[in-house]
Coordinates of all heavy atoms in Angstrom, one line a residue:
M1 N -13.6 -15.0 23.4 CA -13.3 -13.6 23.4 C -13.8 -13.0 22.1 O -13.8 -13.6 21.0 CB -11.7 -13.4 23.4 CG -11.4 -12.0 23.3 SD -9.7 -11.5 23.5 CE -8.6 -12.7 23.0
R2 N -14.3 -11.8 22.2 CA -14.8 -11.0 21.1 C -14.1 -9.7 20.9 O -13.9 -9.0 21.9 CB -16.3 -10.8 21.2 CG -16.9 -10.2 20.0 CD -18.4 -10.1 20.2 NE -18.9 -9.4 19.0 CZ -20.0 -9.7 18.5 NH1 -20.8 -10.7 19.0 NH2 -20.4 -9.1 17.4
L3 N -13.6 -9.4 19.7 CA -12.8 -8.2 19.5 C -13.6 -7.3 18.5 O -14.0 -7.8 17.5 CB -11.4 -8.6 18.9 CG -10.5 -7.5 18.5 CD1 -10.1 -6.7 19.7 CD2 -9.3 -8.0 17.8
S4 N -13.6 -6.1 18.8 CA -14.3 -5.1 18.0 C -13.4 -4.0 17.6 O -12.6 -3.5 18.5 CB -15.5 -4.5 18.7 OG -16.5 -5.4 18.9
L5 N -13.3 -3.7 16.3 CA -12.5 -2.5 15.8 C -13.4 -1.6 15.0 O -14.3 -2.0 14.4 CB -11.4 -3.1 14.9 CG -10.4 -4.0 15.5 CD1 -9.5 -4.5 14.5 CD2 -9.5 -3.2 16.6
S6 N -13.1 -0.3 15.1 CA -13.8 0.6 14.3 C -13.4 0.5 12.9 O -12.3 0.2 12.5 CB -13.5 2.1 14.8 OG -13.8 2.2 16.1
K7 N -14.4 0.8 12.0 CA -14.1 0.9 10.6 C -13.2 2.1 10.3 O -13.4 3.1 10.9 CB -15.4 1.0 9.7 CG -16.3 -0.1 9.9 CD -17.6 0.2 9.1 CE -18.7 -0.8 9.5 NZ -19.9 -0.5 8.8
F8 N -12.2 1.9 9.4 CA -11.4 3.1 9.0 C -10.7 2.8 7.7 O -10.6 1.7 7.2 CB -10.4 3.4 10.1 CG -9.2 2.5 10.2 CD1 -8.1 2.7 9.5 CD2 -9.3 1.3 11.0 CE1 -7.0 1.8 9.6 CE2 -8.2 0.5 11.1 CZ -7.1 0.7 10.4
E9 N -10.2 3.9 7.1 CA -9.4 3.9 5.9 C -8.2 4.7 6.1 O -8.2 5.7 6.8 CB -10.2 4.5 4.7 CG -11.1 3.5 4.0 CD -11.6 4.1 2.7 OE1 -11.1 5.1 2.2 OE2 -12.6 3.5 2.2
S10 N -7.1 4.3 5.6 CA -5.9 5.0 5.6 C -5.2 5.0 4.3 O -5.1 4.0 3.6 CB -4.9 4.4 6.7 OG -3.7 5.0 6.7
R11 N -4.7 6.2 3.9 CA -4.0 6.3 2.6 C -2.7 7.0 2.9 O -2.6 7.9 3.7 CB -4.8 7.1 1.6 CG -6.1 6.5 1.2 CD -6.9 7.4 0.3 NE -8.2 6.8 0.0 CZ -8.5 6.2 -1.0 NH1 -7.6 6.0 -2.0 NH2 -9.7 5.7 -1.2
H12 N -1.6 6.6 2.1 CA -0.3 7.2 2.3 C 0.4 7.3 1.0 O 0.3 6.4 0.2 CB 0.5 6.3 3.3 CG 1.9 6.8 3.5 ND1 2.2 7.9 4.2 CD2 3.1 6.4 3.0 CE1 3.5 8.1 4.2 NE2 4.0 7.2 3.5
Q13 N 1.0 8.4 0.7 CA 1.8 8.6 -0.5 C 3.1 9.2 -0.1 O 3.1 10.2 0.7 CB 1.1 9.5 -1.5 CG 1.9 9.8 -2.7 CD 1.2 10.6 -3.8 OE1 0.0 10.3 -4.1 NE2 1.8 11.6 -4.3
E14 N 4.2 8.7 -0.6 CA 5.5 9.3 -0.3 C 6.5 9.2 -1.5 O 6.5 8.2 -2.2 CB 6.1 8.5 0.9 CG 7.4 9.0 1.4 CD 7.8 8.4 2.7 OE1 7.0 7.5 3.3 OE2 8.9 8.7 3.2
S15 N 7.3 10.2 -1.7 CA 8.3 10.1 -2.7 C 9.5 9.3 -2.2 O 9.9 9.4 -1.1 CB 8.8 11.6 -3.0 OG 9.9 11.5 -3.9
L16 N 10.0 8.4 -3.1 CA 11.1 7.6 -2.7 C 12.4 8.1 -3.2 O 13.5 7.5 -3.0 CB 10.9 6.2 -3.3 CG 9.7 5.4 -2.8 CD1 9.6 4.1 -3.5 CD2 9.7 5.3 -1.3
V17 N 12.4 9.3 -3.9 CA 13.6 9.8 -4.6 C 14.8 10.0 -3.6 O 15.9 9.6 -3.8 CB 13.3 11.1 -5.3 CG1 14.6 11.8 -5.8 CG2 12.3 10.9 -6.4
S18 N 14.5 10.7 -2.4 CA 15.6 10.9 -1.5 C 16.2 9.6 -0.9 O 17.4 9.5 -0.7 CB 15.1 11.9 -0.3 OG 14.1 11.2 0.4
Y19 N 15.3 8.6 -0.7 CA 15.8 7.3 -0.2 C 16.7 6.6 -1.2 O 17.7 6.1 -0.9 CB 14.6 6.4 0.2 CG 13.7 7.0 1.3 CD1 12.4 7.4 1.0 CD2 14.2 7.1 2.6 CE1 11.6 7.9 2.0 CE2 13.3 7.6 3.6 CZ 12.1 8.0 3.3 OH 11.3 8.5 4.2
L20 N 16.2 6.6 -2.4 CA 17.0 6.0 -3.5 C 18.3 6.7 -3.8 O 19.3 6.0 -4.0 CB 16.1 5.9 -4.8 CG 14.9 4.9 -4.6 CD1 14.0 5.1 -5.8 CD2 15.3 3.5 -4.4
K21 N 18.3 8.0 -3.7 CA 19.5 8.8 -3.9 C 20.5 8.4 -2.8 O 21.7 8.3 -3.0 CB 19.3 10.3 -4.0 CG 18.7 10.7 -5.3 CD 18.5 12.2 -5.3 CE 18.1 12.7 -6.7 NZ 17.9 14.2 -6.7
T22 N 20.0 8.3 -1.5 CA 20.9 8.0 -0.4 C 21.5 6.6 -0.6 O 22.6 6.3 -0.2 CB 20.0 8.0 0.9 OG1 19.5 9.3 1.1 CG2 20.9 7.6 2.1
L23 N 20.7 5.7 -1.3 CA 21.2 4.3 -1.5 C 22.2 4.2 -2.7 O 22.6 3.2 -3.1 CB 20.1 3.4 -1.7 CG 19.2 3.1 -0.4 CD1 17.9 2.4 -0.8 CD2 20.0 2.4 0.6
G24 N 22.4 5.4 -3.4 CA 23.4 5.4 -4.4 C 22.9 5.5 -5.8 O 23.6 5.3 -6.8
M25 N 21.6 5.9 -6.0 CA 21.0 6.0 -7.3 C 20.9 7.5 -7.8 O 20.0 7.8 -8.5 CB 19.6 5.4 -7.3 CG 19.6 3.9 -7.2 SD 17.9 3.2 -7.4 CE 17.5 3.7 -9.0
Q26 N 21.9 8.3 -7.5 CA 21.8 9.7 -7.8 C 21.7 9.9 -9.3 O 20.9 10.7 -9.8 CB 23.0 10.5 -7.3 CG 23.1 10.5 -5.8 CD 23.9 9.4 -5.3 OE1 24.3 8.4 -6.0 NE2 24.2 9.4 -4.0
K27 N 22.5 9.2 -10.1 CA 22.6 9.4 -11.6 C 21.2 9.1 -12.3 O 20.9 9.8 -13.3 CB 23.7 8.5 -12.2 CG 25.1 9.0 -11.9 CD 26.1 8.2 -12.6 CE 27.5 8.7 -12.3 NZ 28.5 7.9 -13.0
A28 N 20.5 8.2 -11.8 CA 19.2 7.8 -12.4 C 18.2 9.0 -12.4 O 17.3 9.1 -13.3 CB 18.5 6.6 -11.7
F29 N 18.4 9.9 -11.5 CA 17.5 11.1 -11.4 C 18.1 12.4 -12.0 O 17.4 13.4 -11.9 CB 17.1 11.3 -9.9 CG 16.4 10.1 -9.3 CD1 17.1 9.2 -8.6 CD2 15.0 10.0 -9.4 CE1 16.4 8.1 -8.0 CE2 14.3 9.0 -8.9 CZ 15.0 8.0 -8.2
T30 N 19.3 12.3 -12.5 CA 19.9 13.5 -13.0 C 20.0 13.5 -14.6 O 20.5 12.6 -15.2 CB 21.4 13.5 -12.5 OG1 21.4 13.4 -11.1 CG2 22.1 14.8 -12.9
P31 N 19.3 14.5 -15.2 CA 19.3 14.6 -16.6 C 20.8 14.7 -17.2 O 21.6 15.4 -16.6 CB 18.5 15.9 -16.9 CG 17.7 16.1 -15.7 CD 18.5 15.6 -14.6
G32 N 21.1 13.9 -18.2 CA 22.4 14.0 -18.8 C 23.4 13.0 -18.1 O 24.4 12.7 -18.7
E33 N 23.1 12.5 -16.9 CA 23.9 11.5 -16.3 C 23.3 10.1 -16.2 O 24.0 9.1 -16.2 CB 24.2 12.0 -14.8 CG 25.2 13.2 -14.8 CD 25.6 13.4 -13.3 OE1 25.8 12.5 -12.6 OE2 25.8 14.6 -13.0
A34 N 22.0 10.1 -16.2 CA 21.3 8.7 -16.2 C 21.6 8.0 -17.5 O 21.7 8.6 -18.6 CB 19.8 8.9 -16.1
N35 N 21.8 6.7 -17.4 CA 22.1 5.9 -18.6 C 21.1 4.7 -18.6 O 21.4 3.7 -18.1 CB 23.6 5.4 -18.5 CG 23.9 4.6 -19.7 OD1 23.1 4.4 -20.7 ND2 25.2 4.1 -19.8
F36 N 20.1 4.9 -19.4 CA 19.1 3.9 -19.6 C 19.1 3.6 -21.1 O 18.1 3.2 -21.7 CB 17.7 4.4 -19.2 CG 17.5 4.6 -17.7 CD1 17.6 5.9 -17.2 CD2 17.4 3.6 -16.9 CE1 17.4 6.1 -15.8 CE2 17.2 3.7 -15.5 CZ 17.2 5.0 -15.0
S37 N 20.3 3.7 -21.7 CA 20.4 3.5 -23.2 C 20.0 2.1 -23.7 O 19.5 2.0 -24.8 CB 21.8 3.8 -23.6 OG 22.7 3.0 -23.0
A38 N 20.1 1.1 -22.8 CA 19.7 -0.2 -23.2 C 18.2 -0.4 -23.3 O 17.7 -1.3 -24.0 CB 20.2 -1.2 -22.2
M39 N 17.5 0.6 -22.8 CA 16.0 0.6 -22.9 C 15.5 1.4 -24.0 O 14.2 1.4 -24.2 CB 15.4 1.1 -21.5 CG 15.8 0.2 -20.3 SD 15.4 1.0 -18.8 CE 13.7 1.3 -18.9
L40 N 16.3 2.2 -24.7 CA 15.9 3.1 -25.7 C 16.3 2.7 -27.1 O 17.4 2.1 -27.3 CB 16.5 4.5 -25.4 CG 16.1 5.1 -24.1 CD1 16.9 6.4 -23.9 CD2 14.6 5.4 -24.0
S41 N 15.5 3.0 -28.1 CA 15.9 2.9 -29.5 C 16.9 4.0 -29.8 O 16.8 5.1 -29.2 CB 14.7 3.0 -30.4 OG 13.8 2.0 -30.1
S42 N 17.8 3.7 -30.7 CA 18.8 4.8 -31.1 C 18.0 6.0 -31.7 O 17.0 5.8 -32.3 CB 19.8 4.3 -32.1 OG 19.1 3.8 -33.2
G43 N 18.5 7.2 -31.4 CA 17.9 8.4 -31.9 C 16.9 9.0 -31.0 O 16.4 10.1 -31.2
H44 N 16.6 8.3 -29.9 CA 15.6 8.9 -28.9 C 16.4 9.8 -27.9 O 17.6 9.5 -27.6 CB 14.8 7.8 -28.2 CG 13.8 7.2 -29.0 ND1 14.0 6.3 -30.0 CD2 12.4 7.5 -29.0 CE1 12.8 6.0 -30.5 NE2 11.9 6.7 -30.0
A45 N 15.7 10.7 -27.3 CA 16.3 11.5 -26.3 C 16.7 10.7 -25.1 O 16.2 9.6 -24.8 CB 15.3 12.6 -25.8
S46 N 17.6 11.3 -24.3 CA 18.0 10.6 -23.1 C 16.9 10.4 -22.1 O 15.9 11.2 -22.1 CB 19.2 11.3 -22.4 OG 18.8 12.6 -22.0
L47 N 17.0 9.5 -21.2 CA 15.9 9.2 -20.3 C 16.5 9.3 -18.8 O 17.5 8.8 -18.5 CB 15.4 7.8 -20.5 CG 14.3 7.2 -19.7 CD1 13.0 8.0 -19.9 CD2 14.1 5.8 -19.9
H48 N 15.7 9.9 -18.0 CA 16.0 9.9 -16.5 C 14.7 9.9 -15.8 O 13.6 10.0 -16.4 CB 16.8 11.2 -16.1 CG 16.0 12.4 -16.2 ND1 15.7 13.1 -17.4 CD2 15.4 13.1 -15.2 CE1 15.0 14.2 -17.1 NE2 14.7 14.2 -15.8
I49 N 14.8 9.6 -14.5 CA 13.6 9.5 -13.6 C 13.3 10.8 -12.9 O 14.2 11.4 -12.3 CB 13.8 8.4 -12.6 CG1 14.0 7.0 -13.3 CG2 12.5 8.3 -11.7 CD1 14.5 5.9 -12.3
D50 N 12.1 11.3 -13.1 CA 11.7 12.5 -12.4 C 11.2 12.3 -11.0 O 11.4 13.0 -10.1 CB 10.6 13.3 -13.1 CG 11.2 14.0 -14.4 OD1 12.3 14.5 -14.4 OD2 10.4 13.9 -15.4
E51 N 10.4 11.2 -10.8 CA 9.8 10.9 -9.6 C 9.6 9.4 -9.4 O 9.3 8.7 -10.3 CB 8.4 11.6 -9.5 CG 7.7 11.4 -8.2 CD 8.3 12.1 -7.0 OE1 8.2 13.3 -6.8 OE2 9.0 11.4 -6.3
M52 N 9.7 8.9 -8.2 CA 9.4 7.6 -7.8 C 8.5 7.6 -6.6 O 8.9 8.2 -5.6 CB 10.7 6.8 -7.5 CG 10.5 5.4 -7.2 SD 10.0 4.3 -8.6 CE 11.6 4.2 -9.4
L53 N 7.3 7.2 -6.7 CA 6.3 7.3 -5.7 C 5.9 5.9 -5.1 O 6.0 4.9 -5.8 CB 5.0 7.9 -6.2 CG 5.0 9.3 -6.7 CD1 3.7 9.6 -7.4 CD2 5.3 10.3 -5.6
Y54 N 5.6 5.9 -3.8 CA 5.1 4.8 -3.1 C 3.7 5.2 -2.6 O 3.6 6.2 -1.9 CB 6.0 4.3 -1.9 CG 5.3 3.3 -1.1 CD1 5.4 1.9 -1.5 CD2 4.7 3.6 0.1 CE1 4.8 0.9 -0.7 CE2 4.1 2.6 0.9 CZ 4.1 1.3 0.4 OH 3.6 0.3 1.2
K55 N 2.7 4.4 -2.9 CA 1.3 4.7 -2.4 C 0.8 3.4 -1.7 O 1.0 2.3 -2.2 CB 0.4 5.0 -3.6 CG 0.7 6.3 -4.2 CD -0.4 6.7 -5.3 CE -0.1 8.0 -5.9 NZ -1.2 8.4 -6.8
S56 N 0.1 3.6 -0.6 CA -0.5 2.5 0.1 C -2.0 2.9 0.5 O -2.3 4.1 0.7 CB 0.3 2.1 1.3 OG 0.4 3.1 2.2
F57 N -2.8 1.9 0.6 CA -4.2 2.0 1.0 C -4.6 0.9 1.9 O -4.3 -0.3 1.6 CB -5.1 2.0 -0.3 CG -6.5 1.9 0.0 CD1 -7.2 3.1 0.4 CD2 -7.2 0.7 -0.2 CE1 -8.6 3.0 0.6 CE2 -8.6 0.7 0.0 CZ -9.3 1.8 0.4
L58 N -5.2 1.2 3.0 CA -5.7 0.2 4.0 C -7.1 0.5 4.3 O -7.5 1.6 4.6 CB -4.8 0.3 5.2 CG -5.2 -0.7 6.4 CD1 -4.9 -2.1 5.9 CD2 -4.4 -0.4 7.6
H59 N -8.0 -0.5 4.2 CA -9.4 -0.3 4.5 C -9.8 -1.5 5.5 O -9.6 -2.6 5.2 CB -10.3 -0.4 3.3 CG -11.7 -0.5 3.6 ND1 -12.5 0.6 3.9 CD2 -12.6 -1.5 3.6 CE1 -13.7 0.3 4.1 NE2 -13.8 -1.0 4.0
L60 N -10.3 -1.1 6.6 CA -10.8 -2.1 7.6 C -12.3 -1.9 7.7 O -12.7 -0.8 8.2 CB -10.1 -1.9 9.0 CG -10.6 -2.8 10.1 CD1 -10.2 -4.3 9.7 CD2 -9.9 -2.4 11.4
G61 N -13.0 -2.9 7.3 CA -14.5 -2.8 7.4 C -15.0 -3.8 8.4 O -14.2 -4.4 9.2
E62 N -16.3 -3.9 8.5 CA -16.8 -4.8 9.5 C -16.4 -6.2 9.4 O -16.1 -6.9 10.4 CB -18.4 -4.7 9.4 CG -19.0 -5.4 10.6 CD -20.5 -5.1 10.6 OE1 -21.0 -4.1 10.0 OE2 -21.3 -5.9 11.2
H63 N -16.3 -6.7 8.2 CA -15.9 -8.1 7.9 C -14.8 -8.3 6.9 O -14.6 -9.3 6.4 CB -17.1 -8.9 7.4 CG -18.3 -9.0 8.4 ND1 -18.3 -9.7 9.5 CD2 -19.4 -8.3 8.3 CE1 -19.4 -9.5 10.2 NE2 -20.1 -8.6 9.5
L64 N -14.1 -7.2 6.6 CA -13.2 -7.2 5.5 C -12.0 -6.3 5.8 O -12.1 -5.2 6.3 CB -13.9 -6.6 4.3 CG -13.1 -6.5 3.0 CD1 -12.8 -7.9 2.5 CD2 -14.0 -5.8 1.9
L65 N -10.8 -6.8 5.4 CA -9.6 -6.0 5.5 C -9.0 -6.0 4.1 O -8.7 -7.0 3.5 CB -8.6 -6.6 6.5 CG -7.2 -6.0 6.5 CD1 -7.2 -4.5 7.0 CD2 -6.3 -6.8 7.4
C66 N -8.8 -4.8 3.5 CA -8.1 -4.7 2.2 C -6.9 -3.8 2.4 O -6.9 -2.8 3.0 CB -9.1 -3.9 1.2 SG -10.5 -4.9 0.8
S67 N -5.8 -4.3 1.7 CA -4.6 -3.5 1.7 C -4.0 -3.6 0.3 O -3.9 -4.6 -0.3 CB -3.7 -4.2 2.7 OG -2.4 -3.6 2.7
H68 N -3.5 -2.4 -0.1 CA -2.9 -2.3 -1.4 C -1.7 -1.4 -1.3 O -1.7 -0.4 -0.6 CB -3.8 -1.7 -2.5 CG -5.1 -2.5 -2.7 ND1 -5.2 -3.6 -3.4 CD2 -6.3 -2.2 -2.2 CE1 -6.4 -4.0 -3.4 NE2 -7.1 -3.2 -2.6
A69 N -0.6 -1.7 -2.1 CA 0.5 -0.9 -2.1 C 1.1 -0.9 -3.6 O 1.0 -1.9 -4.2 CB 1.6 -1.3 -1.2
S70 N 1.6 0.2 -4.0 CA 2.2 0.3 -5.4 C 3.3 1.2 -5.4 O 3.4 2.1 -4.6 CB 1.1 0.6 -6.4 OG 0.6 1.9 -6.1
R71 N 4.1 1.1 -6.4 CA 5.2 2.0 -6.7 C 5.1 2.4 -8.1 O 4.7 1.6 -9.0 CB 6.6 1.3 -6.5 CG 6.9 1.0 -5.0 CD 7.7 -0.3 -4.8 NE 7.3 -1.5 -5.5 CZ 6.4 -2.3 -5.2 NH1 5.6 -2.1 -4.2 NH2 6.2 -3.4 -5.8
A72 N 5.4 3.7 -8.4 CA 5.3 4.2 -9.7 C 6.5 5.1 -10.0 O 7.0 5.8 -9.2 CB 4.0 5.0 -9.9
C73 N 7.0 5.0 -11.3 CA 8.1 5.8 -11.7 C 7.5 6.7 -12.8 O 6.8 6.3 -13.7 CB 9.1 4.8 -12.3 SG 10.5 5.7 -13.0
R74 N 7.9 7.9 -12.8 CA 7.3 8.9 -13.7 C 8.4 9.8 -14.3 O 9.3 10.2 -13.6 CB 6.3 9.8 -13.0 CG 5.7 10.9 -13.8 CD 4.7 11.6 -13.0 NE 5.4 12.4 -12.0 CZ 4.8 13.2 -11.1 NH1 3.5 13.3 -11.1 NH2 5.5 13.8 -10.2
R75 N 8.3 10.0 -15.6 CA 9.1 11.0 -16.3 C 8.2 11.9 -17.0 O 7.4 11.6 -17.8 CB 10.0 10.3 -17.3 CG 10.9 11.3 -18.1 CD 11.7 10.6 -19.2 NE 12.6 11.6 -19.8 CZ 12.2 12.3 -20.8 NH1 11.0 12.2 -21.3 NH2 13.1 13.2 -21.4
L76 N 8.4 13.2 -16.7 CA 7.6 14.2 -17.4 C 8.2 14.6 -18.7 O 9.4 14.7 -18.8 CB 7.5 15.5 -16.5 CG 6.8 15.2 -15.1 CD1 6.9 16.5 -14.3 CD2 5.4 14.8 -15.3
P77 N 7.4 14.9 -19.7 CA 7.9 15.3 -21.0 C 8.6 16.7 -21.0 O 8.5 17.4 -20.1 CB 6.7 15.4 -21.9 CG 5.5 15.4 -21.0 CD 5.9 14.9 -19.7

């Protein structure tokens, strides 16, 4: 049997904030309520999460399949 597939690429990006808040992480995204003090030196400003992203990439070539996924956390100044 011989199988043929067309070459293609697919990219996806999605915010995870609403999902994480639904799972109970509301305080991590709220300025003044998030408590990441164990990660900070004393005297630094409080820290909260502005965005949590999920990105994925899929490439199907003639002889190759590549797939990548990553998560990123961002705090804007």
Side-chain angles (χ1 to χ4, degrees):
M1 176 174 29
R2 186 174 178 142
L3 177 65
S4 296
L5 296 172
S6 300
K7 298 177 192 178
F8 74 91
E9 276 189 14
S10 176
R11 296 173 187 263
H12 178 73
Q13 176 176 314
E14 186 170 358
S15 174
L16 299 178
V17 174
S18 61
Y19 299 110
L20 294 171
K21 283 183 174 181
T22 299
L23 292 171
M25 289 185 61
Q26 296 90 351
K27 288 184 179 182
F29 298 94
T30 307
E33 289 188 35
N35 184 1
F36 294 102
S37 58
M39 297 169 57
L40 301 172
S41 300
S42 60
H44 283 80
S46 64
L47 180 68
H48 70 279
I49 300 170
D50 287 321
E51 183 66 81
M52 183 71 77
L53 295 173
Y54 172 81
K55 292 184 176 187
S56 63
F57 169 77
L58 178 67
H59 172 81
L60 178 63
E62 190 172 335
H63 301 286
L64 180 67
L65 172 65
C66 294
S67 175
H68 302 279
S70 64
R71 291 148 312 280
C73 179
R74 179 179 64 179
R75 180 184 181 271
L76 299 175

